[in-house]
Amino acid sequence: MSTLALLVALLLVVVVVLLAASAAYVVHRHPSWGQPLGAAFGAAAVMATLVGAILAR
């Protein structure tokens, strides 16, 4: 794998972790919205689906 591909993969991982953590924080601040861990996994699943669709093209 080239260095550029590794850097892009690292950036993607950082963005997914940031998105999942922010979703968990928002749900933690508003408990009536659901469970924070479920929101984090949901956000990560949505990102994984989007990345999979983009890579499949």
Side-chain angles (χ1 to χ4, degrees):
M1 227 185 213
S2 70
T3 305
L4 180 61
L6 288 173
L7 286 175
V8 169
L10 177 64
L11 179 65
L12 185 62
V13 167
V14 169
V15 168
V16 168
V17 168
L18 180 64
L19 178 70
S22 63
Y25 175 74
V26 167
V27 172
H28 175 71
R29 297 291 291 166
H30 302 281
S32 64
W33 291 1
Q35 297 294 324
L37 193 57
F41 280 127
V46 167
M47 283 297 293
T49 303
L50 290 174
V51 169
I54 290 170
L55 291 178
R57 289 184 95 195

